[in-house]
Structure formats: C-alpha cells, structure tokens
Amino acid sequence: MQERKRLGDLLIDAQLITDEQLRETLANKKEGQKLGDGLLERGYITEQQLIEVLELQLGIPHVSLYRYPFDQALFTVISKEFAKRNVLIPLKKEGNRLFVAMADPMDFFAIDDLRLSTGFQIETAIASRDDILRTISKYYDLDDDVEQFASFENGLTEEEEETIGEEDSPIVRLVNQLISSAVQQKASDIHIDPHETKVSVRYRLDGLLKVERTLPKHLQGMLTARLKIMANLDITEHRVPQDGRIKMNVDFHPVDLRVSTLPTIYGEKIVMRVLDLGSALNDVKKLGFNNLNLQRFLKLIEQPNGIVLITGPTGSGKSSTLYAALNYLNEEEANIITIEDPVEYQMEGINQIQVNPNVGLTFASGLRSILRQDPNVIMVGEIRDKETADIAIRASLTGHLVLSTLHTNDALSTVTRLIDMGVEPFLVATSLAGVVSQRLVRRICRDCQESRVASKSEQEIFARRGIQIESVVHGKGCGNCNMTGYKGRIAVHELMVMTDEMKQVILNQQPFSTLRQLAVKNKMLFLLDDGLIKVKQGLTTTEEVLRVSTLE
C-alpha cells in the first residue's frame, strides 16, 4: 500500500499555503477539529482547492452534486443521521460496490462503519462539505415530507391540530427543516408566501430571493400556526400584523429568528430574518474595511464623546457594523446602553432596551432615561425624527459617545439630512465626529473565479478614479455557488471624519460642494473608490460595485 502524505505537506507542495499558515492553524485550531476545516475557517484555502489537492494526491475522483442524477433508493440504505454526522451521501451502486461522496475521504472509521452496516464494498469520491449538506437536506427531507403530508389532504382532524406543538409531528419537522436548510445555505431571510393554490417558501441568499420549495395550500394553516406558536404570537389573530422572535439551536449552534406576519388576501405572509449568532460578525477587523478606513474608524469609536453615524439603505449591514463596534468597546470599565427597535443580537455585558411605543417607551423617551444611568457609550438603533436627533446630539455634547444609524445615500449627505430634520447647524458641527456609509456587494466565488481582460468601459471607470487596471476577476459559476459566480457578501465603505475646516463650512452654512472638496482634500475614499479597490483585489466585480454606488 502506498504511503500517504500528510494533508499539510500536500497543500504546501501545491503552494496553496505557507509553512507559517500551517503552523499557526495547527497551533490554534479547535480540539478535535480537522486540519482542512481549520484552514477553511481561516480562509487560507477554499473547499475546491482542498478537494483538488486531495483528488490529485489520493487518486480519488471529485464529484459535483449540483444536478447529479441520484439513485433515490440508496437514501434508505444510509440513514440521514449517519449521512449528516459523517458528511457523506450515496451516489450509485454497481454490483456489490457502493459509491459514496464524502467531504473527508480519509475518514476510515466512517468507511468501515458503512462497509459493516451495508455489506457493500465502499468506493469514495470527494465533494465539498456545503454541497453534501445541501443535498442531504434537499433529498432526505423531501422524501420524509411527501409521505407525511399525503395524510393531510382532507384538512385537519382535532387530534392532528393538537400535534402542532409535539416535537415529532410532521409539521414541526417541516418547519425545523425549512429553518435548518436556510441556516445551512446562509440565507438572511425566509419568506413564506401564500398564493391562491399553493404556498411558496423563498430564501434570500446573498441579497437575492430564490424559491426553495413549493408546498400544497392545505398546509398553510398548520405552517402559520406552528410558526406563531414558536414565536409566542396570538394564533387566533389573522387580521393584524404581528412581530415576535424565535430562539432555537440548529445543528448545535444558536440561531435567532425575527418573525413578522402580514395579512394578505391569500392568508398571512410570514418573513423571518435569520440572525445566525454563531457567525455574527463581532470583529471590527473582519468587516472588510480597508486599512486606512479601519484605522480611522477605530480612532472614531475610541473617542470619549461625539456622534458616530452609520448610514445606508435597509439590508446594507449597518447593524453588523454597529454591533462589531460595540463589541470592540465592550469592556468592564465601560457602561454601554443601547435602545433599539427591535433588539437584533443580544450581547453579553451590554444593557439593551427594546422600544415599546404602546407604553410610551420611544427612542426619545428611552434616551432621556438612559442619560440618568451614567453611560459611557450609548447606541440608538435609528435616528428617525428631530426629537431623537436633538437628544442624541445633547448626549454627545455632555461627554458620551453615541453610535447610531440613519437612512441616507452617502456620508456627506448625512450632514444635510440632519439640518433638514431641523437640527441646528452649530449642533451638527460641534457634535458629529464622523459618518460611515456602507453597502453590501456579492463576493466572487473563490472556487470558480478566473481572470479576464478588463473591458474598455471598465478601464475608463477605473481611470476616472485614478486607478490603473489590466485584468479583472469574475466567477464563471459552479455547483458550490449555485451557478451564480458569487458566494457570500462583503461590505464597501466610505468614511468621513469631521475636520475643523468642515465644521466651519457647516457653521457658516456654505454650499454642500465645499464640504465635498474638503472631503477629497482629506483623502476620503468614496464608496465607488473602495468598491473599485476591492474589484482590483479580486473580491468582487465592477457590475456589483456600480449596482450600489453612483458614478460621479
């Protein structure tokens, strides 16, 4: 039998990682974690690179499960639990040989277990972990559903209605599958849309909605009731919108869901925002700030007072940036109080208040009370009106650091928005420390990325911003990214730090263009610039950057 080389050596031979990266990963990886997983977690390699090295060295073929013609009968041979635990899936059988796709084809214990339990000779192929888990949830769960829901054709009996709360009832399993599949695919939202004859379930993946599955109309009542029970909502009320939240564990890590129901003509539409607490971005350094912006941002939030605003449209990652900033400031010596609507992530060591207009607890009244609580850092979920803006500004002038968000298109127009709201220019000038404006762009899939020569129009766009570019990277589409060429998202930022000159411009109510000239003089990176730098680094594409920022 040939001698097997160790994975670390194989990756170094293939020049995918350095000795340094290997040593660092081996020293710091979690106990019992495989080396490959440790390297993937740190982003040193992609799954595809790992697979290609293993394929080459072990002589084991690699297989893409995207549109693979599976033999459905084999799913009864290997149980879902075994498949999930060992991250493998049966492909086909020939004679007494069973072909299995595995994330780790060197897991000899799993192979032996399979051989003993099935009696087949096991032949292995490699597939990526995400690919396998996605396929498991797609095929195994589908079979379960079809059998279970066949019995519900004629509506519900009383007994079945009572089972909505039981852990083992089909509807409970269906809801759990929908949620775990969404977490597995890293969806940000789950939409349950009632139509006239069916109910469709859609996931928002990397900012775009796609239909995950379609359910028969007669399940709508049970599905809605089950989700309402989980979110502690009133299941008898169908006429008014309701909000709630669900906390649960999916595959052993905590997930928080924000649930919103809305009555439509075909029944209640339910949208769940998935807040994956395990992968929450709590590290400021991982938000995608480039070095200059990161230094400026840290300097801003380390100030003892002043207002720092984060702006951008809904779904541009403002909350993640705010929470990462709070996490960075969260030390024993600091009293941090937030007032939010709603509280998205619950953080240890931070006092969080939920706005409740029904009892008169608004942003403005809550902020007044917070000021009596001797805070160092105050976070206001959003500045929506003049009253909140005024109190936030007073708080920053009396020696507190205030962090908040505002819906504006770019960093500079935040100043005019505050003045338009009715805040006095002298208050804006003295209290505003800086503004971060951000957007999310889709990240090129690292597994199918390839270089191409930059088009003429792309070269012109780059040249206009003073950047030279020869080639750009794009994703050609593969099974790992569902043929989109993109996987995951990354933020682009612009950061305006207030200087004394800018304060003078605001105080003297000089035109907006003067402020812009000063920002350029201060070497401020605009959204477009930051985006184009990220295109040049091969992280995203020009189309994505132009989708979220305007050409001046």
Side-chain angles (χ1 to χ4, degrees):
M1 188 170 154
Q2 69 189 54
E3 185 189 343
R4 292 192 188 278
K5 281 184 88 166
R6 292 217 312 248
L7 177 64
D9 301 335
L10 301 183
L11 290 166
I12 289 173
D13 290 350
Q15 295 182 336
L16 289 173
I17 58 169
T18 61
D19 276 343
E20 183 58 37
Q21 288 174 330
L22 176 65
R23 277 200 299 276
E24 189 267 329
T25 307
L26 286 169
N28 298 325
K29 72 185 176 70
K30 298 178 194 132
E31 200 176 327
Q33 188 181 37
K34 293 182 178 137
L35 173 63
D37 291 341
L39 290 164
L40 288 174
E41 201 174 90
R42 286 164 179 72
Y44 293 150
I45 54 170
T46 71
E47 279 205 276
Q48 201 62 30
Q49 289 170 336
L50 180 61
I51 286 172
E52 281 163 13
V53 166
L54 290 171
E55 177 179 30
L56 192 73
Q57 292 292 338
L58 307 173
I60 296 175
H62 116 254
V63 58
S64 166
L65 305 180
Y66 186 75
R67 300 208 171 129
Y68 188 88
F70 285 99
D71 178 353
Q72 304 270 352
L74 293 177
F75 295 135
T76 52
V77 176
I78 297 176
S79 74
K80 179 179 168 185
E81 283 65 38
F82 186 87
K84 220 166 185 171
R85 190 172 67 243
N86 296 299
V87 198
L88 50 84
I89 195 151
L91 297 171
K92 58 179 181 182
K93 73 174 206 283
E94 287 176 4
N96 72 337
R97 293 184 307 164
L98 178 64
F99 289 80
V100 180
M102 302 179 72
D104 177 11
M106 297 167 86
D107 183 349
F108 300 117
F109 293 115
I111 295 172
D112 278 350
D113 279 357
L114 257 188
R115 198 177 64 241
L116 292 169
S117 62
T118 60
F120 286 110
Q121 201 53 44
I122 305 299
E123 299 279 347
T124 54
I126 315 174
S128 77
R129 185 185 178 83
D130 279 355
D131 217 359
I132 292 177
L133 291 174
R134 194 166 45 227
T135 311
I136 289 175
S137 66
K138 188 172 168 187
Y139 285 98
Y140 277 95
D141 296 347
L142 266 181
D143 288 358
D144 293 355
D145 298 349
V146 174
E147 290 164 23
Q148 290 159 3
F149 296 131
S151 61
F152 287 136
E153 284 297 344
N154 315 318
L156 300 178
T157 65
E158 278 179 28
E159 290 156 33
E160 280 169 348
E161 277 195 353
E162 283 168 19
T163 64
I164 290 178
E166 286 175 18
E167 279 312 302
D168 206 33
S169 75
I171 200 75
V172 172
R173 288 218 289 273
L174 172 71
V175 169
N176 291 350
Q177 277 159 21
L178 291 177
I179 294 172
S180 68
S181 179
V183 172
Q184 159 70 47
Q185 293 183 44
K186 298 190 170 49
S188 59
D189 301 82
I190 305 170
H191 288 238
I192 292 170
D193 298 323
H195 299 282
E196 193 172 0
T197 55
K198 60 180 189 209
V199 180
S200 69
V201 178
R202 293 186 294 171
Y203 291 167
R204 189 176 289 285
L205 299 169
D206 293 341
L208 302 176
L209 276 171
K210 77 175 224 324
V211 175
E212 172 68 12
R213 58 166 71 172
T214 308
L215 299 170
K217 182 74 175 170
H218 63 263
L219 290 180
Q220 184 181 324
M222 292 181 73
L223 191 59
T224 309
R226 172 63 190 159
L227 286 166
K228 284 184 166 181
I229 287 168
M230 290 170 78
N232 286 328
L233 301 176
D234 180 356
I235 64 169
T236 58
E237 180 57 82
H238 306 292
R239 295 159 306 176
V240 293
Q242 298 184 61
D243 291 306
R245 62 191 313 154
I246 299 172
K247 280 189 135 175
M248 61 188 292
N249 279 333
V250 174
D251 291 339
F252 309 112
H253 72 252
V255 172
D256 217 343
L257 300 162
R258 228 171 60 207
V259 182
S260 158
T261 72
L262 188 71
T264 70
I265 51 172
Y266 295 124
E268 285 172 286
K269 172 176 167 69
I270 298 180
V271 176
M272 293 181 275
R273 165 64 57 90
V274 182
L275 304 167
D276 183 349
L277 305 178
S279 67
L281 280 173
N282 281 336
D283 187 349
V284 182
K285 298 186 174 81
K286 289 187 183 156
L287 290 174
F289 277 110
N290 71 31
N291 294 340
L292 177 69
N293 278 349
L294 180 63
Q295 285 161 0
R296 288 179 171 179
F297 184 62
L298 292 180
K299 200 169 157 194
L300 272 184
I301 61 175
E302 281 164 358
Q303 293 179 6
N305 55 10
I307 280 196
V308 178
L309 290 176
I310 297 176
T311 72
T314 311
S316 59
K318 298 189 296 289
S319 300
S320 294
T321 306
L322 266 184
Y323 282 113
L326 287 180
N327 199 44
Y328 179 80
L329 298 168
N330 187 6
E331 286 168 355
E332 195 183 329
E333 301 86 63
N335 177 19
I336 302 177
I337 305 181
T338 75
I339 178 158
E340 305 169 60
D341 178 23
V343 172
E344 291 196 25
Y345 291 104
Q346 294 167 2
M347 295 179 81
E348 194 75 27
I350 290 179
N351 311 291
Q352 293 170 288
I353 304 169
Q354 167 98 29
V355 168
N356 185 352
N358 301 336
V359 294
L361 176 57
T362 60
F363 276 125
S365 65
L367 249 176
R368 283 197 190 92
S369 312
I370 288 176
L371 288 174
R372 301 185 201 113
Q373 291 273 327
D374 178 34
N376 300 88
V377 181
I378 301 170
M379 191 266 263
V380 185
E382 190 185 336
I383 292 179
R384 294 180 186 168
D385 50 37
K386 179 178 185 302
E387 194 183 4
T388 312
D390 277 339
I391 305 167
I393 283 172
R394 296 238 163 77
S396 72
L397 293 174
T398 51
H400 306 94
L401 175 67
V402 180
L403 302 173
S404 187
T405 67
L406 197 64
H407 287 283
T408 57
N409 288 334
D410 57 17
L412 289 166
S413 57
T414 306
V415 174
T416 40
R417 165 63 60 85
L418 286 170
I419 294 171
D420 290 346
M421 265 183 178
V423 180
E424 292 295 338
F426 75 89
L427 285 175
V428 176
T430 43
S431 64
L432 196 60
V435 183
V436 177
S437 180
Q438 72 175 58
R439 301 284 189 283
L440 292 177
V441 290
R442 289 185 292 165
R443 193 188 198 126
I444 296 171
C445 170
R446 284 171 61 183
D447 294 329
C448 59
Q449 63 180 35
E450 56 180 23
S451 268
R452 64 172 171 79
V453 177
S455 67
K456 200 165 171 42
S457 62
E458 279 176 322
Q459 287 177 350
E460 280 170 14
I461 292 166
F462 276 85
R464 216 182 299 170
R465 310 301 295 181
I467 307 173
Q468 281 277 306
I469 185 127
E470 303 290 314
S471 62
V472 291
V473 178
H474 76 124
K476 61 177 191 291
C478 64
N480 288 343
C481 59
N482 275 331
M483 292 310 184
T484 56
Y486 297 102
K487 191 167 189 196
R489 287 189 291 178
I490 186 169
V492 291
H493 306 89
E494 67 182 22
L495 199 158
M496 174 181 82
V497 180
M498 290 297 276
T499 60
D500 291 341
E501 290 171 307
M502 285 178 165
K503 289 180 177 176
Q504 278 317 120
V505 168
I506 298 169
L507 280 172
N508 301 337
Q509 300 192 15
Q510 287 169 283
F512 184 65
S513 52
T514 324
L515 207 55
R516 192 177 179 84
Q517 286 156 14
L518 285 175
V520 173
K521 182 180 148 195
N522 197 17
K523 296 204 165 46
M524 170 173 152
L525 279 176
F526 291 93
L527 268 178
L528 184 64
D529 301 323
D530 191 34
L532 294 181
I533 290 169
K534 289 189 163 93
V535 172
K536 192 164 181 173
Q537 291 168 339
L539 296 171
T540 185
T541 58
T542 320
E543 296 83 46
E544 280 292 297
V545 173
L546 294 181
R547 191 168 60 84
V548 298
S549 62
T550 46
L551 282 169
E552 290 96 24

